[in-house]
Amino acid sequence: MTSAIMSAIVSSPTAPSRQPSNVAAKAHHNKHGVGFINPWPSYLERSGPQMMGKMLWLRLSGQWKDPDTTPPTVPVRQPEFLPSRQTGKLRATWLGHACYYVEFPGGLRVLFDPVFTERCSPFSWVGPKRFTEMPCQVEDIPFIDAVVISHNHYDHLSHPTIQRIAKKYPNAHYFVGLGNKPWFTHMGLDDTNVTEMDWWEEKEFTLSPAERGEGDQKQADISAVIGCLPCQHTSARTAFDKAHTLWASWSITSGGKKIWFGGDTGYRTVPMVPEGEFDYSDKYADLPHCPAFAQIGELRGPFDLGLIPIGAYDPRHIMSPMHANPYDSVNIFVDTKCKRALGIHWGTWVLTSEEVMEPPKVLKQALKWKGIEEEGVFGTCDIGESRVIE
C-alpha cells in the first residue's frame, strides 16, 4: 500500500466474540464509589501512602537496594521500520518499556503505550529517568493508524508524546479504557478519534484511503477487531484519582494474525517470604491467582503473539498485586494461550529494586520451571529490534 491518508470507521462487530457468562454484572465497576476495582481475591488493595510508607521503611532499615544502571545494560538499536504497508507477516518492534510498534499483514500499524520522553513523570526535571536511550523519535515512525493505551500511569501514557503523535499523525485513532477519553479531548483531540471501551467489549476498526489516486486503484480497506480485556492493575495521574479510569489488556486481530497486549498487570498477591524462599513452592500453592487470563485464553485465544510484562516486581510483597514477575508472566502466557511472547515492562526506567538485567534471566528459569524449553517461544529482544512472527 502507498502512504495515502487513511480515514477510520469504528463500529460494533458484526460477529461478536464470546464473553464470560457474568459479564453483564460488571463486577469491576465500583458500586460503592467512583471508578473501578479488581474484583478478585488475587488482588490486595493498598493506598498510595501505604505503599510509600512500606518503601520508605525499607530504605530507612537498609533493606532497599538500588539497581546498578551502569552501562552496558539493554542494547539499543536504531529501528528499521517497513517503508510501506506491504507486508505478509506479523512484525513487532520493541521501543522500550511497554511500548511496541506492531506491523500487521495487510497494512495495519499499531503503537502500544508510547512514552517518548526522558522521564516517566508529570515533570521534565524530576522522576524516573531513562537508563537506556530512546531508539527513535515519534516522527521516525512511518505510519500510526491506532494508538492503544493500557492505563494512565506516566510510564504508559505521556502527555508530550500524545501531543507529538497528534501533530504528526492527526488521523491516528486512540483506543482507551473507560473514563480516559476526557483526558484526550482536553488536549484538543477530536473526540471522534478516541474510543473508550469496557472489559470484554470489541470494536471493528476499518481504514480506507481518503482519496484513491491512480496508484491506489487496487488498494483494499484495512480491517481489524480490537478487544478491551481485563488485567489486574490500577490507574492514577494524581494523588486524588486512583482507579477513577479503567486499566486493561488488549487484543487485536488483523490480516489473519491475532495479538494480546498485557500492558501492566499482576497475577497474584504474595506476602513477605523469607529471603531466598520460592513463592511458587507448595507452601504458597493456595495463594489465589487472577482468573481473568484463563478466561481470555478460553474465550479469545489462541494468540499468535503475546506482549507480556516481566519487570518492576521487587519488593515482591509490595509489587506483586499489580506487577508480574517472570514466573507470573509465564503462567499468564500459558493461561492466555499465546503461541509466542515477548517480554515488556522492563529495561527502560528504574521503578523497583530488582537488578535491571534480572527479568530476562529469571524468565529463562521460569520457562524451564514450567516445562517450556522450546527456543524462542517466550523471550526478550534489544530495544529497537524487530521480530517477525511466523
Side-chain angles (χ1 to χ4, degrees), residues 143-197:
F143 311 95
I144 300 179
D145 301 315
V147 179
V148 174
I149 303 295
S150 64
H151 65 296
N152 68 5
H153 283 159
Y154 286 93
D155 56 325
H156 297 258
L157 178 59
S158 160
H159 184 278
T161 301
I162 299 300
Q163 283 184 316
R164 290 167 62 185
I165 293 172
K167 182 178 180 180
K168 179 69 185 294
Y169 313 96
N171 293 316
H173 199 93
Y174 300 81
F175 291 89
V176 301
L178 290 181
N180 285 289
K181 188 172 186 175
W183 185 90
F184 287 84
T185 55
H186 181 72
M187 287 179 54
L189 271 72
D190 188 330
D191 65 356
T192 61
N193 282 359
V194 185
T195 297
E196 276 189 345
M197 296 170 65

Side-chain angles (χ1 to χ4, degrees), residues 285-316:
D286 292 335
L287 292 179
H289 66 270
C290 181
F293 303 107
Q295 282 187 315
I296 291 170
E298 177 186 354
L299 299 174
R300 299 293 171 87
F303 299 95
D304 297 289
L305 175 66
L307 301 173
I308 300 177
I310 64 170
Y313 49 79
D314 269 348
R316 182 88 160 123

Side-chain angles (χ1 to χ4, degrees), residues 67-319:
D68 181 9
T69 59
T70 305
T73 55
V74 185
V76 179
R77 307 183 187 184
Q78 182 175 348
E80 296 181 2
F81 303 114
L82 297 176
S84 77
R85 294 182 182 272
Q86 296 285 1
T87 176
K89 295 182 179 179
L90 183 66
R91 192 171 182 268
T93 304
W94 187 37
L95 300 178
H97 199 55
C99 182
Y100 251 92
Y101 180 69
V102 179
E103 297 160 308
F104 284 85
L108 181 69
R109 303 295 184 253
V110 181
L111 187 62
F112 294 91
D113 282 5
V115 179
F116 286 81
T117 54
E118 283 297 317
R119 296 184 187 273
C120 58
S121 164
F123 310 104
S124 62
W125 49 274
V126 69
K129 187 176 181 180
R130 287 178 182 266
F131 63 85
T132 48
E133 296 294 323
M134 282 185 283
C136 67
Q137 298 297 326
V138 166
E139 293 77 11
D140 297 324
I141 302 173
F143 311 95
I144 300 179
D145 301 315
V147 179
V148 174
I149 303 295
S150 64
H151 65 296
N152 68 5
H153 283 159
Y154 286 93
D155 56 325
H156 297 258
L157 178 59
S158 160
H159 184 278
T161 301
I162 299 300
Q163 283 184 316
R164 290 167 62 185
I165 293 172
K167 182 178 180 180
K168 179 69 185 294
Y169 313 96
N171 293 316
H173 199 93
Y174 300 81
F175 291 89
V176 301
L178 290 181
N180 285 289
K181 188 172 186 175
W183 185 90
F184 287 84
T185 55
H186 181 72
M187 287 179 54
L189 271 72
D190 188 330
D191 65 356
T192 61
N193 282 359
V194 185
T195 297
E196 276 189 345
M197 296 170 65
D198 200 356
W199 287 355
W200 298 106
E201 187 178 0
E202 285 183 313
K203 293 293 182 183
E204 286 189 358
F205 182 55
T206 305
L207 292 167
S208 302
E211 297 180 1
R212 294 181 188 268
E214 183 178 345
D216 297 323
Q217 294 300 318
K218 296 182 180 179
Q219 185 170 345
D221 290 348
I222 296 171
S223 63
V225 175
I226 297 181
C228 179
L229 295 166
C231 65
Q232 181 172 294
H233 200 58
T234 189
S235 64
R237 290 192 83 74
T238 73
F240 309 103
D241 65 347
K242 184 178 180 183
H244 284 200
T245 63
L246 185 61
W247 50 98
S249 65
W250 294 85
S251 66
I252 298 185
T253 305
S254 186
K257 294 292 184 180
K258 184 191 296 186
I259 74 167
W260 180 71
F261 174 67
D264 197 354
T265 187
Y267 187 68
R268 59 207 283 264
T269 294
V270 178
M272 183 179 286
V273 302
E275 186 174 356
E277 189 165 289
F278 184 44
D279 63 53
Y280 267 104
S281 66
D282 290 343
K283 180 178 178 180
Y284 301 101
D286 292 335
L287 292 179
H289 66 270
C290 181
F293 303 107
Q295 282 187 315
I296 291 170
E298 177 186 354
L299 299 174
R300 299 293 171 87
F303 299 95
D304 297 289
L305 175 66
L307 301 173
I308 300 177
I310 64 170
Y313 49 79
D314 269 348
R316 182 88 160 123
H317 68 284
I318 297 175
M319 304 309 301

